[in-house]
Every structure is written in structure tokens, then in C-alpha cells.
């Protein structure tokens, strides 16, 4: 199946077991594993780990996050979109009256603060998952997060560095200094951080139920805090919110030994379709015949990613507002026409095509019964909006910044609308005739790096047979919005030189946290459940794959 060697520098090895939880922080992975050991299922473990991550990695997510999930329940694949909608008062006129028009003649919108906060969807997502598959009481699932928040934890290196970097921009946001600047600063590496207000909120939600976040005492305090600080979030915005169950969208790709797989992502408003489009474009090339780290293999992937992004940035938004459907963008003939634009010998700067009409944490869990969860949760930029409701420890996302202010655009800001989202869970099925067999739950967090991380890591596994930890550890590149290319400093200098020779505008980046993402992977070892799984956790963060 895999070449189990690892040609890349790594501090980690693949982890195998019959029950697995892989996250970006060891406490969250251990919390999820504890739930599995107590008899909970993979969905229970995902909720436990997600709650713990709100406490131990507040730079990336919190109780005011959004989330998405893809769940294999043992029989069927399900998609959950728990991203929130904009306040009903939002419009171009709303932002124009508040912020005016910039030098580019566009209506200005803030990056942080209450006017970037859409309805937080994460708690609603936990509730939807628990109602459908939860096997343990909510009190047991949230207990580890409460314990960690009350007893405190030593802040790890990667989280500490991002925390410190966020302070200058966010310390003036309401509630931020009170909660996230103990002693008037960010905590140092190894310093104990306590989060009693988050523990209070989680205990309250255990007693009153998770809908209290949208209808009860917490909801009322969110709205009061918004009004006190110039926001427009209303009780009606919160009460009417419900996450959506959606059918995942997929793309078939050929692997080693002529074996076919199907990769699944959540449909728009997320950017997962970018990974599927790039993979579909690359099916027009025989990648497995190329050297995995050779310039042509990497160049083709980069060019396919550019073409996918050129369409996604123009067309993807809340599905109700899109001019083209996901099916239009994934149409094989359209992707074939886009593949024909790739020059194997030259970098391109593509334009948008027109098909025929028709700051994040990622975790994954799997249990001994075959259930698997791909789950992602985010405040967007580091600490999101920077706004914190201090008596509950609710730090709020700034997903509203994902809208644009271009009249007529599918993603133009408007009332009760979901913005373009960067966070995307993924799932891989193996095809056996007409049957689809679960193979891997996976994701790579990190803003616009996410579909690029899906592409690079997955193709290493199924096109070149690299084992999950090796595929995770391999140096990565990142296509930027202007089609320049970031590349990790540990990439082979010859590869960098060869890509530059093809016309790619390159730079090496020292910071792997956001620029190159961080992944978690759980691969099913065989069709026999007793054989279990192999898991990988990205060394670019403080994470852990835990199994038994």
C-alpha cells in the first residue's frame, strides 16, 4: 500500500490503532481519546476535542467560531455546514454609512470588531452532531474542556508566538485584554493560562442545553455586548440560526495500481471545491509517472491550483447567490478545457473561466466500529474579530470579512447571507466497482492554504504511495491571490530554482503556521475493522495523533 519510509525531516511517526483522535493540540487529542475509551463514538470524540481546542488553542478558534464536518456514520457520508449568516441589518449602505468609501472607490469594511461577526455556528454544529449520533451525555463530552479551562494549561510554543503577535492589533477590541492578556500581555511559552469564563459557559450549556447560546442567557449577553460596542447582531439573528445538513460534493481521481478514489468536500459557501477542481484538472496528466518532488509534478499542481482559484474567487459564495452551481464548476468537459491552458514549460497568470450554467483548527476521529469524522472549526484570522464577551469567554469569529463590497458579485455583503468560507474538511472514499468504501478523513488548516494542502498531501499518498506522515511532512508551496508563490524554506533549492526558471515568482517563508497550514489524517488500514487505522499529525503545530 504505502512506502513506510519518510524521506523528509520529521519529529513524528505514523500512529496506529483501532480508535484514533488526531488534533493540533495534545490535550484535545487526549480528551477525544478519553471519550472513545469511555465508550463514546467518533462523533462524541470530535465534539470533545472541538470543545477542548476552544480552550487550549484560542488563537485559532473559540466558542464563537464556525465549523464544518463530514461524517461517515458506518453506512453513509454526511456533510454539515455550521457557518453563520450575516446580521439582517448588513448591506452595502450599512457599511457605507459607517465606514465611507476608500481610495479605491470601494465601500470600506472593517477587518476586526463587531461589524465582522456573523452568527457563530460552532455550538449549533456540536448540537446537530450530538442530536444525530451522540451516545454519551453532553456533560461527559464537555467535561475535559471544563477541567482544562479551570485548572489551566501551559501555553505551547506555536500558540504562544501567535498569541503574542496578535496583541498589538487586538488589545483595544472589547473584552480582549480582559480575557487574553493576563498580566497585561500575552502569556509566555510554558506559562499557565486559566480560562474560567469559558468553563462557566460550558457548564451553563451543559445545564441549559446548547441552544441557550442562540436563545437563552448567553444569547442575550451576546446581543447586549454587541449593542454596547456598536454591533448590530440581534436576538432574531441568533434565534433563527440553524446549521445545514448538506450532500458532500466529490471528484473521482485515479491512484496507484489503477485504483480509483473519490474525494469529498463540503459544497459552497466553502472553498473545498477549489481542491476538487484542481484534482479534476490534473486527471488530464499522468502524475504518477513523474518524480514526486520533481519540478514538473509540482509545476502542474501549482498551475491547476491557480486555475481553480481563479474561478473560485470569482464564482463561489453562498449557494443561493451563485451564478454557477458546483456541478457547473466540476463539469468534466469544463475542467478538461481548463487543463488545456496549462503549459508544462511555463508559469501562467490565468483569468477566470465561464463554465456552462447548469485562523483554524482541524481534527479527525475514528472509532472501532468504522465511524469517521472530518471536522474543522475556526475564528478565521488569529483570534477572529478580537471581540470577546468576557463573562462567558466567548471569542467571536470575523467571518464577515469574507464578503466583498462589489455590487453584483455573488459574494457581495448582504443580509442573512453566508460569506465565502476558507475552512474545509475533506474525506476520501475508495471505489470498488459501484461501491464506495471509506478510506481517509483528513484536512489541512490555514486560510487559503487549505485546498492547496488537500491537493498536495492527498496526491502524495494516492499518486506516489507516500505514507500519511511523510505526505504531511513534505515541504509545501502556496499560491497567493496574485499568483505569486510562497515556498517553505526547507524545500529543495534545486526545485526552487527550476520553478523560477519556469517563470514562477517565488519567495521562501519562514513561518509555517499560517502560510503552509497544518494537517491531520486518519487512513483506514483495510476493509477489516479489526485492523484499525494509521494516523498522522502535522509537525507545523503542537498537535498529536493519539490511538489505542
Amino acid at each position: 500500500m504505502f512506502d513506510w519510509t519518510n524521506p523528509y525531516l520529521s519529529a513524528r511517526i505514523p500512529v496506529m490503532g483501532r480508535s484514533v483522535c488526531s488534533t493540533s493540540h495534545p490535550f484535545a487529542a487526549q480528551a477525544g481519546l478519553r471519550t472513545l475509551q469511555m465508550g463514546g463514538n467518533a462523533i462524541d470524540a470530535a465534539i470533545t476535542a472541538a470543545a477542548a481546542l476552544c480552550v487550549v488553542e484560542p488563537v485559532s478558534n473559540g466558542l464563537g467560531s464556525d465549523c464544518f464536518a463530514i461524517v461517515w456514520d458506518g453506512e453513509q457520508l454526511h456533510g454539515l455546514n455550521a457557518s453563520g449568516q450575516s446580521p439582517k441589518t448588513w448591506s452595502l449602505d450599512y457599511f457605507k454609512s459607517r465606514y465611507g468609501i476608500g481610495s479605491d472607490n470601494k465601500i470600506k469594511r472593517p477587518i476586526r470588531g463587531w461589524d465582522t461577526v456573523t452568527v457563530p455556528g460552532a455550538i449549533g454544529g456540536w448540537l446537530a452532531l450530538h442530536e444525530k449520533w451522540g451516545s454519551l451525555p453532553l456533560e461527559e463530552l464537555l467535561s475535559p474542556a471544563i477541567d482544562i479551562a479551570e485548572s489551566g494549561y501551559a501555553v505551547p510554543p506555536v500558540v504562544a508566538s501567535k498569541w503574542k503577535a496578535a496583541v498589538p492589533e487586538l488589545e483595544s477590541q472589547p473584552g480582549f485584554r480582559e480575557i487574553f492578556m493576563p498580566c497585561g500581555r500575552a502569556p509566555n511559552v510554558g506559562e499557565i493560562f486559566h480560562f474560567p469564563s469559558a468553563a462557566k459557559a460550558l457548564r451553563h450549556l451543559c445545564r441549559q442545553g446548547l441552544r441557550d447560546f442562540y436563545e437563552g442567557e448567553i444569547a442575550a449577553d451576546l446581543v447586549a455586548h454587541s449593542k454596547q460596542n456598536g454591533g448590530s447582531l440581534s436576538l432574531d439573528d441568533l434565534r433563527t440560526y440553524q446549521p445545514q445538513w448538506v450532500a458532500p460534493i466529490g471528484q473521482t481521481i485515479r491512484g496507484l495500481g489503477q485504483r480509483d478514489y473519490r474525494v469529498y468536500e463540503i459544497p459552497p459557501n466553502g472553498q473545498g471545491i477549489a481542491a476538487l477542481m484542481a484534482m479534476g484538472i490534473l486527471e488530464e496528466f499522468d502524475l504518477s509517472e513523474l518524480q514526486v518532488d520533481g519540478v514538473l509534478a509540482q509545476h502542474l499542481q501549482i498551475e491547476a491550483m491557480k486555475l481553480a482559484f481563479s474561478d473560485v474567487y470569482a464564482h463561489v459564495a453562498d449557494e443561493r447567490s451563485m451564478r454557477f452551481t458546483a456541478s457547473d464548476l466540476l463539469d468534466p468537459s469544463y475542467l478538461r478545457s481548463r487543463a488545456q491552458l496549462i503549459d508544462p514549460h511555463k508559469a501562467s497568470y490565468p483569468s477566470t473561466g465561464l463554465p456552462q450554467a447548469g485562523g483554524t483548527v482541524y481534527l479527525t476521529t475514528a472509532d472501532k466500529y468504522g465511524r469517521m469524522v472530518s471536522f474543522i472549526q475556526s475564528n478565521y484570522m488569529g483570534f477572529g474579530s478580537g471581540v470577546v464577551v468576557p463573562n462567558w469567554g466567548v471569542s467571536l469569529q470575523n467571518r464577515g470579512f469574507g464578503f466583498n463590497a462589489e455590487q453584483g458579485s455573488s459574494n457581495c455583503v448582504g443580509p442573512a447571507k453566508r460569506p465565502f468560507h476558507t475552512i474545509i474538511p475533506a474525506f476520501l472514499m475508495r471505489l470498488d466497482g459501484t461501491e464506495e468504501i471509506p478510506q481517509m478523513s483528513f484536512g489541512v488548516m490555514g486560510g487559503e492554504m487549505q485546498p492547496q494542502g488537500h491537493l498536495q498531501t492527498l496526491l502524495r499518498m494516492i499518486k506516489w504511495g507516500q505514507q500519511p506522515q511523510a505526505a504531511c511532512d513534505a515541504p509545501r508551496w502556496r499560491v497567493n491571490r496574485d499568483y505569486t508563490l510562497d515556498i517553505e524554506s526547507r524545500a529543495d533549492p534545486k526545485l526552487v530554482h527550476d520553478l523560477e526558471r519556469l517563470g514562477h515568482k517565488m519567495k521562501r517563508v519562514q513561518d509555517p503556521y499560517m502560510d503552509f497550514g497544518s494537517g491531520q489524517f486518519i487512513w483506514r488500514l483495510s476493509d477489516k475493522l479489526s485492523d484499525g487505522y494509521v494516523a498522522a499529525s502535522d509537525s507545523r503545530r503542537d498537535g498529536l495523533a493519539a490511538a489505542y
Side-chain angles (χ1 to χ4, degrees):
M1 181 176 57
F2 290 129
D3 175 359
W4 289 103
T5 62
N6 189 343
Y8 312 107
L9 290 175
S10 178
R12 301 184 180 179
I13 59 173
V15 173
M16 301 185 190
R18 294 187 179 91
S19 295
V20 188
C21 182
S22 184
T23 82
S24 55
H25 192 286
F27 280 14
Q30 292 164 7
L33 193 65
R34 188 181 88 167
T35 292
L36 291 166
Q37 290 170 326
M38 291 171 59
N41 60 40
I43 297 89
D44 293 321
I47 296 169
T48 297
L53 284 167
C54 289
V55 175
V56 298
E57 202 170 331
V59 297
S60 303
N61 74 140
L63 298 177
S65 291
D66 284 348
C67 73
F68 294 81
I70 301 178
V71 178
W72 173 257
D73 67 359
E75 297 180 356
Q76 185 179 349
L77 206 60
H78 305 261
L80 177 67
N81 181 335
S83 63
Q85 295 154 326
S86 57
K88 294 181 177 67
T89 56
W90 280 16
S91 67
L92 286 177
D93 287 340
Y94 173 89
F95 286 97
K96 182 179 179 180
S97 67
R98 288 193 164 211
Y99 302 99
I101 297 177
S103 57
D104 59 358
N105 206 34
K106 291 183 180 179
I107 294 170
K108 294 194 290 186
R109 293 179 305 117
I111 298 175
R112 309 284 189 169
W114 265 109
D115 273 341
T116 66
V117 179
T118 53
V119 174
I123 300 296
W126 300 357
L127 176 60
L129 291 167
H130 191 253
E131 286 180 337
K132 201 170 185 71
W133 293 293
S135 64
L136 294 180
L138 194 63
E139 293 82 355
E140 291 187 32
L141 302 187
L142 301 187
S143 175
I146 294 169
D147 291 344
I148 296 167
E150 290 181 334
S151 60
Y153 61 92
V155 177
V158 175
V159 171
S161 67
K162 292 300 167 185
W163 204 319
K164 182 178 179 180
V167 162
E169 182 181 1
L170 300 180
E171 60 182 329
S172 63
Q173 290 296 336
F176 185 88
R177 174 177 283 273
E178 183 177 344
I179 297 299
F180 292 125
M181 294 177 63
C183 305
R185 55 170 174 78
N188 296 319
V189 176
E191 193 169 359
I192 302 299
F193 176 72
H194 295 85
F195 205 168
S197 55
K200 172 189 170 184
L202 290 168
R203 286 190 186 281
H204 179 84
L205 291 169
C206 287
R207 291 192 303 269
Q208 302 299 323
L210 294 177
R211 279 303 299 181
D212 185 271
F213 192 90
Y214 301 96
E215 298 173 357
E217 187 177 350
I218 293 179
D221 284 355
L222 287 173
V223 171
H225 192 273
S226 173
K227 289 181 178 177
Q228 290 164 10
N229 294 282
S232 64
L233 187 73
S234 71
L235 274 175
D236 184 58
D237 293 325
L238 292 169
R239 287 171 178 162
T240 56
Y241 174 71
Q242 292 289 342
Q244 288 184 327
W245 291 105
V246 296
I249 55 176
Q251 174 66 47
T252 301
I253 53 177
R254 177 64 54 90
L256 290 173
Q258 302 299 299
R259 174 169 284 173
D260 286 336
Y261 296 88
R262 190 157 178 84
V263 191
Y264 283 98
E265 303 270 0
I266 297 290
N269 55 312
Q271 64 173 339
I273 193 171
L276 300 181
M277 293 176 70
M279 291 178 195
I281 289 168
L282 288 168
E283 283 303 286
E284 300 300 311
F285 303 89
D286 192 357
L287 292 184
S288 60
E289 294 297 314
L290 305 176
Q291 292 184 347
V292 60
D293 290 308
V295 64
L296 184 54
Q298 298 304 309
H299 170 71
L300 292 174
Q301 292 176 69
I302 292 165
E303 293 299 291
M305 202 73 249
K306 288 179 183 178
L307 287 163
F309 273 144
S310 69
D311 283 350
V312 166
Y313 293 148
H315 300 312
V316 171
D318 188 318
E319 276 197 306
R320 296 169 299 176
S321 304
M322 286 173 57
R323 177 183 174 190
F324 300 105
T325 67
S327 297
D328 296 332
L329 293 167
L330 292 172
D331 180 79
S333 62
Y334 177 66
L335 295 181
R336 194 173 303 117
S337 71
R338 299 296 273 169
Q340 292 169 0
L341 300 176
I342 294 178
D343 185 336
H345 309 293
K346 185 179 179 181
S348 69
Y349 296 86
S351 58
T352 300
L354 292 174
Q356 294 299 309
T360 301
V361 293
Y362 174 81
L363 66 93
T364 178
T365 60
D367 63 32
K368 61 185 177 181
Y369 304 106
R371 288 169 290 217
M372 303 172 75
V373 180
S374 181
F375 182 98
I376 198 159
Q377 182 169 274
S378 175
N379 268 354
Y380 193 23
M381 300 175 184
F383 285 107
S385 64
V387 173
V388 187
V389 181
N391 56 323
W392 298 111
V394 175
S395 58
L396 293 150
Q397 38 83 337
N398 62 332
R399 282 293 168 184
F401 189 68
F403 288 117
N404 63 44
E406 300 170 11
Q407 185 76 51
S409 165
S410 299
N411 193 40
C412 182
V413 65
K417 184 177 178 181
R418 285 183 164 94
F420 176 81
H421 247 273
T422 57
I423 59 173
I424 51 172
F427 207 97
L428 181 69
M429 304 290 281
R430 188 179 80 252
L431 302 185
D432 185 2
T434 59
E435 185 179 5
E436 295 191 4
I437 301 168
Q439 186 65 76
M440 180 172 64
S441 52
F442 71 104
V444 178
M445 47 202 154
E448 291 164 352
M449 181 64 208
Q450 293 181 53
Q452 308 186 57
H454 290 190
L455 177 78
Q456 293 174 65
T457 55
L458 180 59
L459 293 186
R460 285 179 177 278
M461 286 181 246
I462 66 174
K463 296 286 190 183
W464 289 286
Q466 291 190 332
Q467 49 101 339
Q469 190 64 56
C472 185
D473 292 332
R476 295 180 190 149
W477 42 260
R478 171 189 168 114
V479 173
N480 298 309
R481 286 218 175 195
D482 60 359
Y483 302 123
T484 60
L485 201 65
D486 294 343
I487 194 163
E488 282 190 287
S489 57
R490 57 194 178 91
D492 184 347
K494 183 180 184 303
L495 173 63
V496 176
H497 171 77
D498 289 345
L499 288 170
E500 287 179 324
R501 185 173 48 82
L502 293 179
H504 294 282
K505 295 180 180 178
M506 310 282 292
K507 60 180 177 179
R508 288 194 170 198
V509 177
Q510 298 296 327
D511 175 14
Y513 180 89
M514 280 299 293
D515 292 285
F516 302 105
S518 178
Q520 316 292 332
F521 306 84
I522 297 178
W523 179 283
R524 189 164 158 175
L525 285 169
S526 79
D527 293 343
K528 292 172 57 180
L529 287 177
S530 59
D531 288 344
Y533 311 89
V534 56
S537 181
D538 206 310
S539 59
R540 294 168 181 84
R541 292 227 186 149
D542 304 303
L544 174 71
Y548 79 97

